[in-house]
Amino acid sequence: AIDTVVVFIGGRRADGIALQLLEAGRPAATPVAVIRGATTERQETRLLDLAGLARMGAGPTDDRPTLLVIGDVVALAPSLAWFDPASLDATTAFSDPVPSLPATPAIKRAKPTRTSLESRP
């Protein structure tokens, strides 16, 4: 009954998580985003459907934590990719296998600047 499922550190168990959701009645065409290294220069996002995640898993594992976002909200990804609109194609079919889907390239982020905090009594 939950619209969106978010799994933190779900990379190595992604296929099993997908299978459990399918067995519980979640539609095979449910959109999924597999996000590695979220909010870092090495962020990579792949879009697929729940059946594809069950079949192929999250892909190769490395030292970056993997976040799984499962639900119709993932279909908004192309319109929310403000940091690189070309990285997610709005015409991408979620049922395509993972290798044909785009991955977001590394994003160059400005280094944070230190600012003094205002103190209040």
Side-chain angles (χ1 to χ4, degrees), residues 14-15 18 27-36 44-59 66-75 77 88 92-102:
D15 55 345
T30 301
V32 175
V34 177
I35 307 166
R36 274 195 193 83
E44 178 182 289
T45 302
R46 292 185 177 205
L47 304 177
L48 64 157
D49 62 14
L50 195 55
L53 185 64
R55 196 171 47 253
M56 297 178 275
T66 301
L67 178 71
L68 305 175
V69 181
I70 303 163
D72 291 337
V73 70
V74 174
L88 296 173
T92 300
F94 288 108
S95 60
D96 288 346
V98 176
S100 68
L101 294 174

Side-chain angles (χ1 to χ4, degrees), residues 11-120:
R12 293 192 177 143
R13 297 206 43 223
D15 55 345
I17 292 166
L19 284 172
Q20 288 177 340
L21 289 169
L22 289 168
E23 289 170 0
R26 182 73 71 153
T30 301
V32 175
V34 177
I35 307 166
R36 274 195 193 83
T39 74
T40 71
E41 302 89 33
R42 295 175 55 206
Q43 178 174 320
E44 178 182 289
T45 302
R46 292 185 177 205
L47 304 177
L48 64 157
D49 62 14
L50 195 55
L53 185 64
R55 196 171 47 253
M56 297 178 275
T61 58
D62 58 16
D63 63 335
R64 295 174 290 171
T66 301
L67 178 71
L68 305 175
V69 181
I70 303 163
D72 291 337
V73 70
V74 174
L76 298 173
S79 65
L80 297 175
W82 55 267
F83 52 85
D84 185 10
S87 68
L88 296 173
D89 180 0
T91 62
T92 300
F94 288 108
S95 60
D96 288 346
V98 176
S100 68
L101 294 174
T104 57
I107 303 165
K108 297 294 182 193
R109 299 191 190 279
K111 291 185 179 181
T113 57
R114 295 192 184 269
T115 59
S116 60
L117 297 175
E118 179 182 340
S119 74
R120 297 180 185 207

